Amino acid sequence: MTDLQLWISALEIGSFYGLIALCYLIVYQGALVFNFAIGGYAMMAGIATSWLATEQGAPVWLAMLFGVVLCVGSSVLTEMVVVRPMVRRSGHDELPKLIAVTAVLFALEQGAGAVFGRGSMPGQWLFDIEPIEMGEAVLDGAALQMFVVTGVVFALVAFWLNATRAGRMLRAAGDNPVAAQVLGLPTDRIRLTAFFVAGVIAAIAGIVFALKSGITFRSALPWSIKGFLAAVIGGTGGAWAPLVGGLLLGAIEVFVPFYLGGASVDYVILLLAAVFFVVRPQGFFARRIRV
Amino acid sequence: MNALVRRAPLRSRGSVLPQILWAVAGMIAVVLWVGGSGYRQDLMVLSCSYALVGLGMYIPFIMGGSLSAAYSAYAAIGAYTVCIVAVRTSWPLPMAWILGPLVACAVAVLLGMATRRLSGNYLVAVTLLFGFAFQTWTIDASGITGGSSGMLGIRKLEIAGWQVSRQGLFVGSLVVVCSVAFLIERLRLSPWGIALRGKREIPLAVESTGIPVPALELVSLGFGAAVAALGGALFSGYNGGIHPETFGLNILFLAVFMPLVGGVGTPWGAVVGAVLAVQFSLNFPSSIAKSGSFAFAVAVMLVLLLAPKGVLGYLALLRDRMRRRRSDGSAAAGGKQS
């Protein structure tokens, strides 16, 4: 585990999972839903950007704007059209909401496949970043961009959650939705805000991560499930918790195949999830509330 | 969803004969529709295979309320068992059709025991990861499963010296699907089914009547997996092979959505949903054929949001309304009940 190149790769994948997990956390705090469609939003942003830039020849910034708008739009629409009626109809029952967001994920996946094609597409650069040599390892532009973006996004979200009015309302709604409603907090608006912010982060994550190994419409489900895992491992204890879960998962995904062979990573992750969910379902960081 | 589940037991007790008549009529209609067309026959066998996967999902998911996402793996187990027995042993092939569901049942029970403390999202995540891991294994263990190229050209099914043709398998699969759906419908109305559906709503109440809920859940998971494996066996038996991608994650989405689209009030909904899924994704007019799966996905969304009772649920509603109108007309005086 001393190979710097592997560590760079682990950090890059881990940062991406951390960002997706952060989306889960924000939506969970605002709406008490594990939104499995998040991988779908990120995939949508990445694939729409690549499609507009490579197949339609649009300028990259315009393509990225299109990807972000599509992604945030899907997220906000999910809240307005799917989650809101579900909450009205079945309250905080878990299964109907889970099935509904899974249907959104399926529709996003198939929609992206139908509109943007089923082939793999390369990611898009906004700036050309020269790779940096670090001894025997090389820090390429994609990884550097991912690190910077992850740092900035997490710092902003931490500030937003802890120091702003909207962030505090979000946490209040997540801690106790009934009490929040009774106190007159605008729970509908809070939920919408959560989905909006998660959509923006998913868009950024999807577009930046597409640079690493391209993107297809099939990326949606694996991203969703890995992001969920990272979110659960990290826990809901704070804004930085998802990053810890993501980095751990990223390290597993890079080092396990390196030492134990390619197929083993799926077995190890299955085992990890099964054990972790039973032993510590609240994650590494959980907020303790004294009642 | 709940309204239909609650509505059922006593009222539809007597509907055995109409059900059989509908099933026979449906089978005849399908055979007539297929005619001599090989393509349509392929579509219908695929529908039957999907229908079995959906029916398998129906038992623990719609009746029991626990969503296990390992159904791609169960179907694959059934399919691979047929292929492995056909290629690597000289055992009679019908054995493989029994062995596959048994293996899937055992795997489901073991997985159910390992995940017995999980529910909701956590259960879905772990079983989904099991599906991933199983698919990886089918590609990785090439000595057993044929690896990434899968297994092709397996020998034909022979029952007591009679070689079953593709037509024979097609008709047989229709009979099997209808029998399984009928069986599950009877099971749904049996005391066991009522206990299982009770568990879905209020587990504690079921436990307090003396029925061990964990055992109930394991039996439902095992039974569902066996039915799904039969669907997989049908697929590989009919097509003479299997590929690791055949029962990928797409089938999982379909397995969840087929019963919902068709209607959750009866297992026949899974059958209707399977036919719709196959027609949507493979038999769409050529101008929009590329987006067939997308059309099905949109249909799923519409059903979930606007018509949670599914196709059969609405047909039943329509039938009830027409009946009521007829009886209102004939006996207007004594019809008021409170």
Side-chain angles (χ1 to χ4, degrees):
Chain A
M1 308 242 313
T2 51
D3 190 335
L4 188 60
Q5 196 66 57
L6 289 182
W7 276 107
I8 292 176
S9 192
L11 282 174
E12 187 181 2
I13 296 175
S15 301
F16 172 68
Y17 289 157
L19 286 173
I20 300 289
L22 182 64
C23 301
Y24 271 97
L25 177 72
I26 291 171
V27 172
Y28 187 76
Q29 296 235 301
L32 283 185
V33 182
F34 278 117
N35 185 3
F36 277 95
I38 283 170
Y41 308 148
M43 176 276 299
M44 199 55 135
I47 203 167
T49 303
S50 294
W51 174 79
L52 198 62
T54 54
E55 310 230 322
Q56 310 297 317
V60 173
W61 66 267
L62 189 68
M64 284 184 179
L65 189 68
F66 174 64
V68 173
V69 168
L70 209 58
C71 175
V72 176
S74 321
S75 181
V76 167
L77 268 181
T78 307
E79 201 285 322
M80 287 174 16
V81 181
V82 180
V83 175
R84 192 172 299 186
M86 285 281 162
V87 170
R88 297 247 163 89
R89 202 190 299 161
S90 47
H92 291 285
D93 200 0
E94 221 175 39
L95 202 56
K97 283 189 280 187
L98 173 65
I99 295 163
V101 291
T102 311
V104 173
L105 178 65
F106 181 53
L108 285 174
E109 188 195 86
Q110 294 302 327
V115 177
F116 304 125
R118 289 163 187 273
S120 179
M121 275 188 271
Q124 296 300 311
W125 294 96
L126 192 53
F127 313 105
D128 258 336
I129 303 172
E130 289 293 316
I132 303 168
E133 282 194 31
M134 303 165 71
E136 291 189 351
V138 178
L139 178 64
D140 64 26
L144 187 64
Q145 198 170 326
M146 179 57 93
F147 297 153
V148 173
V149 162
T150 306
V152 171
V153 166
F154 268 94
L156 284 177
V157 170
F159 175 75
W160 180 63
L161 281 181
N162 294 319
T164 67
R165 211 175 125 78
R168 280 200 302 273
M169 286 208 289
L170 184 82
R171 279 163 46 207
D175 284 343
N176 192 337
V178 181
Q181 205 156 17
V182 170
L183 286 175
L185 292 187
T187 46
D188 276 359
R189 209 182 73 207
I190 292 173
R191 218 172 30 233
L192 193 63
T193 314
F195 273 82
F196 177 82
V197 173
V200 173
I201 298 173
I204 295 169
I207 290 172
V208 175
F209 193 65
L211 288 170
K212 184 165 170 66
S213 46
I215 188 161
T216 76
F217 75 110
R218 289 243 182 262
S219 308
L221 183 61
W223 287 2
S224 276
I225 188 76
K226 299 286 170 58
F228 173 71
L229 263 180
V232 173
I233 292 173
T236 54
W240 295 90
L243 189 59
V244 176
L247 291 177
L248 183 70
L249 202 58
I252 290 171
E253 229 170 65
V254 169
F255 288 108
V256 167
F258 187 74
Y259 289 107
L260 301 176
S264 55
V265 66
D266 282 342
Y267 312 149
V268 170
I269 289 180
L270 168 66
L271 206 67
L272 173 89
V275 172
F276 200 90
F277 288 175
V278 170
V279 177
R280 207 173 161 79
Q282 72 275 37
F284 279 135
F285 303 99
R287 205 181 298 125
R288 288 202 186 81
I289 303 167
R290 235 179 276 165
V291 185
Chain B
M1 215 185 280
N2 295 346
L4 268 164
V5 175
R6 285 198 194 108
R7 190 199 72 179
L10 296 171
R11 205 168 135 194
S12 41
R13 264 278 180 203
S15 66
V16 172
L17 191 65
Q19 219 179 116
I20 293 174
L21 290 177
W22 272 108
V24 171
M27 279 193 272
I28 292 172
V30 166
V31 171
L32 286 178
W33 180 73
V34 166
S37 159
Y39 177 62
R40 287 182 172 182
Q41 184 174 309
D42 290 353
L43 284 183
M44 280 330 290
V45 173
L46 186 65
S47 305
C48 288
S49 171
Y50 280 10
L52 286 170
V53 176
L55 284 168
M57 188 64 132
Y58 187 85
I59 304 166
F61 171 43
I62 304 290
M63 278 163 63
S66 59
L67 181 52
S68 158
Y71 271 73
S72 56
Y74 301 151
I77 287 173
Y80 270 104
T81 309
V82 168
C83 294
I84 290 168
V85 168
V87 172
R88 309 211 189 278
T89 71
S90 54
W91 302 349
L93 219 42
M95 259 182 72
W97 286 66
I98 300 166
L99 190 65
L102 286 179
V103 173
C105 177
V107 170
V109 169
L110 286 177
L111 189 64
M113 281 159 77
T115 56
R116 73 185 183 286
R117 286 177 61 185
L118 302 177
S119 66
N121 300 303
Y122 298 100
L123 181 65
V124 171
V126 171
T127 47
L128 191 63
L129 288 169
F130 178 81
F132 279 144
F134 187 82
Q135 196 176 19
T136 306
W137 180 80
T138 56
I139 297 169
D140 191 37
S142 51
I144 305 170
T145 60
S148 55
S149 49
M151 298 172 104
L152 285 171
I154 65 167
R155 61 190 148 101
K156 291 228 165 81
L157 179 65
E158 242 182 59
I159 299 174
W162 171 59
Q163 201 178 52
V164 183
S165 66
R166 277 164 77 87
Q167 276 85 0
L169 207 52
F170 158 58
V171 175
S173 63
L174 290 180
V175 174
V176 168
V177 166
C178 288
S179 316
V180 170
F182 180 73
L183 190 82
I184 295 177
E185 173 67 13
R186 300 308 298 164
L187 200 64
R188 193 177 76 87
L189 302 173
S190 72
W192 186 84
I194 293 171
L196 185 61
R197 286 186 286 148
K199 186 215 94 175
R200 174 207 161 93
E201 303 294 328
I202 316 168
L204 201 61
V206 175
E207 185 82 48
S208 68
T209 59
I211 299 167
V213 167
L216 190 67
E217 172 137 341
L218 284 182
V219 173
S220 73
L221 287 170
F223 188 31
V227 173
L230 194 61
L234 172 63
F235 182 90
S236 64
Y238 180 78
N239 292 298
I242 179 77
H243 189 264
E245 297 285 321
T246 308
F247 290 109
L249 294 161
N250 216 26
I251 188 79
L252 178 67
F253 282 125
L254 293 182
V256 175
F257 298 135
M258 283 181 307
L260 297 176
V261 169
V264 291
T266 153
W268 293 101
V271 180
V272 172
V275 173
L276 288 177
V278 171
Q279 293 295 334
F280 262 118
S281 46
L282 293 175
N283 205 22
F284 238 47
S286 60
S287 57
I288 34 178
K290 254 170 62 186
S291 51
S293 299
F294 178 52
F296 186 69
V298 171
V300 167
M301 291 300 313
L302 290 178
V303 166
L304 278 180
L305 292 173
L306 305 175
K309 287 181 179 131
V311 174
L312 287 186
Y314 278 86
L315 285 181
L317 213 66
L318 200 70
R319 184 197 59 197
D320 287 354
R321 198 167 289 171
M322 283 169 72
R323 267 192 201 157
R324 211 175 306 143
R325 197 167 293 168
R326 222 177 294 154
S327 62
D328 280 357
S330 59
K336 277 200 175 173
Q337 290 173 345
S338 59

Short mmCIF file of all heavy atoms in Angstrom, two decimals, chain B residues 6 16 19 41 57 75 77 102 106 114 116 131 144 169 173 176 222 265 295-296 313 319 326-327 329 334 336:
data_model
loop_
_atom_site.label_atom_id
_atom_site.label_comp_id
_atom_site.label_asym_id
_atom_site.label_seq_id
_atom_site.Cartn_x
_atom_site.Cartn_y
_atom_site.Cartn_z
N ARG B 6 -56.01 -5.25 1.19
CA ARG B 6 -56.97 -5.43 2.27
C ARG B 6 -58.31 -5.93 1.76
O ARG B 6 -59.03 -6.58 2.46
CB ARG B 6 -57.18 -4.09 2.98
CG ARG B 6 -56.00 -3.75 3.86
CD ARG B 6 -56.37 -2.70 4.87
NE ARG B 6 -55.16 -2.18 5.47
CZ ARG B 6 -54.69 -0.97 5.22
NH1 ARG B 6 -55.31 -0.17 4.39
NH2 ARG B 6 -53.59 -0.56 5.78
N VAL B 16 -62.63 -19.47 -8.56
CA VAL B 16 -61.71 -20.45 -9.14
C VAL B 16 -62.04 -20.72 -10.61
O VAL B 16 -61.18 -20.64 -11.48
CB VAL B 16 -61.73 -21.77 -8.34
CG1 VAL B 16 -60.92 -22.83 -9.06
CG2 VAL B 16 -61.19 -21.54 -6.95
N GLN B 19 -61.39 -17.94 -13.07
CA GLN B 19 -59.96 -17.77 -13.22
C GLN B 19 -59.38 -18.77 -14.23
O GLN B 19 -58.59 -18.43 -15.10
CB GLN B 19 -59.30 -17.97 -11.86
CG GLN B 19 -58.17 -17.03 -11.59
CD GLN B 19 -57.60 -17.27 -10.22
OE1 GLN B 19 -56.46 -17.66 -10.11
NE2 GLN B 19 -58.39 -17.10 -9.18
N GLN B 41 -43.24 -16.43 -31.17
CA GLN B 41 -43.08 -17.51 -30.19
C GLN B 41 -41.94 -17.18 -29.22
O GLN B 41 -42.08 -17.34 -28.01
CB GLN B 41 -42.80 -18.82 -30.93
CG GLN B 41 -42.71 -20.01 -29.99
CD GLN B 41 -42.58 -21.31 -30.77
OE1 GLN B 41 -43.36 -21.60 -31.68
NE2 GLN B 41 -41.58 -22.09 -30.43
N MET B 57 -41.05 -12.66 -7.54
CA MET B 57 -40.93 -11.42 -6.80
C MET B 57 -42.21 -11.10 -6.03
O MET B 57 -42.18 -10.51 -4.96
CB MET B 57 -40.63 -10.30 -7.81
CG MET B 57 -40.29 -8.98 -7.22
SD MET B 57 -38.78 -9.09 -6.30
CE MET B 57 -37.86 -7.70 -6.88
N ALA B 75 -32.77 -15.87 -10.93
CA ALA B 75 -33.08 -16.30 -12.30
C ALA B 75 -31.84 -16.88 -12.97
O ALA B 75 -31.92 -17.90 -13.66
CB ALA B 75 -33.63 -15.11 -13.10
N ILE B 77 -29.37 -18.34 -11.52
CA ILE B 77 -29.07 -19.65 -10.95
C ILE B 77 -29.86 -20.73 -11.69
O ILE B 77 -29.33 -21.77 -12.09
CB ILE B 77 -29.38 -19.68 -9.43
CG1 ILE B 77 -28.34 -18.87 -8.67
CG2 ILE B 77 -29.40 -21.12 -8.92
CD1 ILE B 77 -28.64 -18.70 -7.19
N LEU B 102 -34.29 -25.47 -6.57
CA LEU B 102 -33.89 -25.87 -5.21
C LEU B 102 -32.66 -25.10 -4.76
O LEU B 102 -32.59 -24.61 -3.63
CB LEU B 102 -33.62 -27.38 -5.17
CG LEU B 102 -34.85 -28.28 -5.22
CD1 LEU B 102 -34.44 -29.74 -5.18
CD2 LEU B 102 -35.78 -27.96 -4.05
N ALA B 106 -32.36 -22.44 -1.71
CA ALA B 106 -31.38 -22.54 -0.63
C ALA B 106 -30.58 -21.25 -0.50
O ALA B 106 -30.36 -20.74 0.61
CB ALA B 106 -30.44 -23.72 -0.89
N ALA B 114 -28.77 -14.38 6.55
CA ALA B 114 -27.65 -13.45 6.75
C ALA B 114 -28.14 -12.01 6.87
O ALA B 114 -27.51 -11.19 7.53
CB ALA B 114 -26.66 -13.57 5.60
N ARG B 116 -31.20 -11.07 8.03
CA ARG B 116 -32.47 -11.03 8.75
C ARG B 116 -32.62 -9.79 9.61
O ARG B 116 -33.74 -9.41 9.96
CB ARG B 116 -32.66 -12.30 9.59
CG ARG B 116 -31.78 -12.37 10.82
CD ARG B 116 -31.93 -13.70 11.53
NE ARG B 116 -31.16 -13.74 12.74
CZ ARG B 116 -29.83 -13.86 12.78
NH1 ARG B 116 -29.13 -13.97 11.67
NH2 ARG B 116 -29.18 -13.87 13.94
N GLY B 131 -26.46 -9.45 -5.97
CA GLY B 131 -26.68 -9.62 -7.41
C GLY B 131 -25.44 -9.25 -8.22
O GLY B 131 -25.03 -9.98 -9.12
N ILE B 144 -16.59 -23.23 -14.45
CA ILE B 144 -17.91 -23.77 -14.17
C ILE B 144 -18.97 -23.17 -15.10
O ILE B 144 -19.80 -23.85 -15.67
CB ILE B 144 -18.31 -23.46 -12.70
CG1 ILE B 144 -17.24 -24.00 -11.75
CG2 ILE B 144 -19.67 -24.06 -12.37
CD1 ILE B 144 -17.41 -23.54 -10.32
N LEU B 169 -42.09 -26.73 -25.85
CA LEU B 169 -41.63 -25.96 -24.70
C LEU B 169 -42.46 -24.67 -24.55
O LEU B 169 -42.79 -24.25 -23.43
CB LEU B 169 -40.15 -25.61 -24.89
CG LEU B 169 -39.32 -25.40 -23.63
CD1 LEU B 169 -39.47 -26.57 -22.69
CD2 LEU B 169 -37.86 -25.19 -23.99
N SER B 173 -44.60 -23.86 -21.42
CA SER B 173 -44.30 -22.71 -20.56
C SER B 173 -45.56 -21.90 -20.27
O SER B 173 -45.71 -21.39 -19.17
CB SER B 173 -43.22 -21.83 -21.20
OG SER B 173 -43.69 -21.30 -22.41
N VAL B 176 -47.24 -23.77 -17.55
CA VAL B 176 -46.53 -23.61 -16.28
C VAL B 176 -46.82 -22.24 -15.68
O VAL B 176 -47.13 -22.12 -14.49
CB VAL B 176 -45.01 -23.82 -16.47
CG1 VAL B 176 -44.25 -23.36 -15.23
CG2 VAL B 176 -44.71 -25.27 -16.76
N GLY B 222 -37.63 -18.01 -0.01
CA GLY B 222 -37.19 -19.24 -0.69
C GLY B 222 -38.13 -19.63 -1.81
O GLY B 222 -37.70 -19.98 -2.91
N GLY B 265 -53.04 -6.48 -6.95
CA GLY B 265 -54.10 -7.18 -6.24
C GLY B 265 -54.11 -8.68 -6.47
O GLY B 265 -54.70 -9.43 -5.70
N ALA B 295 -39.95 3.63 -22.88
CA ALA B 295 -41.41 3.71 -22.85
C ALA B 295 -41.96 2.91 -21.68
O ALA B 295 -42.88 3.35 -20.98
CB ALA B 295 -41.98 3.20 -24.16
N PHE B 296 -41.37 1.73 -21.43
CA PHE B 296 -41.83 0.93 -20.29
C PHE B 296 -41.55 1.68 -18.99
O PHE B 296 -42.38 1.69 -18.07
CB PHE B 296 -41.17 -0.44 -20.29
CG PHE B 296 -41.70 -1.34 -19.22
CD1 PHE B 296 -43.00 -1.83 -19.29
CD2 PHE B 296 -40.93 -1.70 -18.13
CE1 PHE B 296 -43.51 -2.64 -18.30
CE2 PHE B 296 -41.43 -2.52 -17.13
CZ PHE B 296 -42.72 -2.99 -17.22
N GLY B 313 -56.04 -4.09 -11.71
CA GLY B 313 -56.80 -3.41 -10.67
C GLY B 313 -57.88 -2.53 -11.29
O GLY B 313 -59.02 -2.51 -10.82
N ARG B 319 -65.10 -3.56 -14.02
CA ARG B 319 -66.08 -4.65 -13.99
C ARG B 319 -67.07 -4.45 -12.83
O ARG B 319 -68.27 -4.55 -13.00
CB ARG B 319 -65.33 -5.98 -13.80
CG ARG B 319 -66.20 -7.20 -13.84
CD ARG B 319 -65.46 -8.38 -13.24
NE ARG B 319 -65.08 -8.10 -11.84
CZ ARG B 319 -64.16 -8.76 -11.17
NH1 ARG B 319 -63.49 -9.73 -11.74
NH2 ARG B 319 -63.89 -8.47 -9.91
N ARG B 326 -75.58 -2.48 -13.39
CA ARG B 326 -76.61 -3.44 -13.82
C ARG B 326 -77.54 -3.80 -12.66
O ARG B 326 -78.75 -3.80 -12.79
CB ARG B 326 -75.93 -4.72 -14.36
CG ARG B 326 -76.60 -5.23 -15.62
CD ARG B 326 -75.84 -6.45 -16.13
NE ARG B 326 -74.49 -6.12 -16.58
CZ ARG B 326 -73.48 -7.01 -16.59
NH1 ARG B 326 -73.65 -8.23 -16.15
NH2 ARG B 326 -72.30 -6.66 -17.04
N SER B 327 -76.93 -4.06 -11.49
CA SER B 327 -77.77 -4.47 -10.36
C SER B 327 -78.59 -3.29 -9.83
O SER B 327 -79.70 -3.45 -9.35
CB SER B 327 -76.91 -5.06 -9.24
OG SER B 327 -76.01 -4.09 -8.78
N GLY B 329 -79.91 -1.11 -11.69
CA GLY B 329 -81.04 -1.02 -12.59
C GLY B 329 -82.13 -2.03 -12.26
O GLY B 329 -83.32 -1.71 -12.28
N GLY B 334 -84.07 -2.61 -2.77
CA GLY B 334 -83.47 -3.20 -1.58
C GLY B 334 -81.94 -3.12 -1.56
O GLY B 334 -81.30 -3.81 -0.79
N LYS B 336 -79.75 -0.81 -0.72
CA LYS B 336 -78.96 0.06 0.15
C LYS B 336 -78.43 -0.69 1.36
O LYS B 336 -79.18 -1.26 2.13
CB LYS B 336 -79.81 1.25 0.59
CG LYS B 336 -79.81 2.34 -0.46
CD LYS B 336 -80.22 3.67 0.12
CE LYS B 336 -80.07 4.75 -0.93
NZ LYS B 336 -80.60 6.01 -0.46
#
